[in-house]
Amino acid sequence: MGSMSRAKRSDDWGFPRWRPYGSSREARQVRLCDRHGCAEPGNCPAPKSPNSPERWYFCESHAAEYNRGWDYFAGLSAEDAAARAAEEAQGARSYARAQHYAWGGAGDGSRSADEMRALEILGLDPDADFDATKKAWRAYAKECHPDVKPGDADAAKRFAAGQAAFEVLKQAEERKSWKPT
């Protein structure tokens, strides 16, 4: 009886895996750039003409070159181009409100939730600078300081909240302007 040859196992089965995950021995099929003479991978699809499902597949540099000269309204009359632009704008109007600054409320996103609450307590806009914060704190303190309104528990609570809010904003300003030596 002759011995049958068995299929050889690869050396990367089990744990630890000796090759990175996703790597295999099979050759990958790469689509080349559709620009004549380019040997780069063509992984950027671009329409062959407006409203066409057919696509070119360019490398990044040729896609940038192609897009630089692209005219979406090519071949349309001025009236048709204006109607198409109005239709596109109407469809995109609902996205205009959803820009990054509108999602979380006012401000540019650089303030924490505590800072935003502190600004609200002092009656300031989210983009107020620290000089406006100091001015608002002085006015707030004059309004509800326990020396101005002795025996008023509500004013004392409001003053304590304003004092804490000013501390939060003061520390945030110090963190922003702090530079290591």
Side-chain angles (χ1 to χ4, degrees):
M1 273 213 150
S3 68
M4 291 180 58
S5 66
R6 292 176 52 179
K8 185 177 177 203
R9 285 188 174 184
S10 68
D11 292 333
D12 65 349
W13 57 276
F15 186 82
R17 190 174 167 93
W18 300 113
R19 281 196 320 254
Y21 286 103
S23 70
S24 62
R25 296 177 187 189
E26 296 86 30
R28 288 190 196 159
Q29 191 171 9
V30 176
R31 181 182 191 117
L32 294 180
C33 180
D34 283 336
R35 181 63 61 113
H36 179 70
C38 184
E40 296 290 316
N43 49 9
C44 299
K48 288 188 176 183
S49 64
N51 302 317
S52 171
E54 297 179 21
R55 302 276 186 243
W56 297 108
Y57 287 89
F58 295 125
C59 63
E60 285 187 33
S61 60
H62 287 129
E65 180 184 324
Y66 180 79
N67 288 336
R68 209 171 301 125
W70 178 260
D71 183 12
Y72 182 73
F73 300 108
L76 297 175
S77 67
E79 296 83 27
D80 291 341
R84 171 83 51 86
E87 182 183 316
E88 295 285 328
Q90 182 181 5
R93 252 187 224 125
S94 59
Y95 294 104
R97 292 190 320 249
Q99 292 174 349
H100 76 282
Y101 60 84
W103 284 100
D108 62 358
S110 62
R111 295 196 185 264
S112 69
D114 290 335
E115 292 172 54
M116 294 299 285
R117 281 192 294 272
L119 288 167
E120 186 179 325
I121 288 170
L122 295 178
L124 292 169
D125 291 332
D127 55 352
D129 61 348
F130 192 63
D131 291 332
T133 303
K134 287 193 283 189
K135 187 176 179 182
W137 163 239
R138 286 186 192 114
Y140 189 88
K142 285 180 185 177
E143 177 186 315
C144 59
H145 194 277
D147 290 344
V148 175
K149 295 188 176 185
D152 189 353
D154 185 44
K157 283 182 188 176
R158 286 183 47 227
F159 179 77
Q163 196 171 20
F166 181 71
E167 266 313 303
V168 165
L169 295 171
K170 185 170 127 185
Q171 288 174 1
E173 182 67 21
E174 288 171 0
R175 278 193 306 273
K176 189 169 33 170
S177 62
W178 179 81
K179 292 181 179 72
T181 55

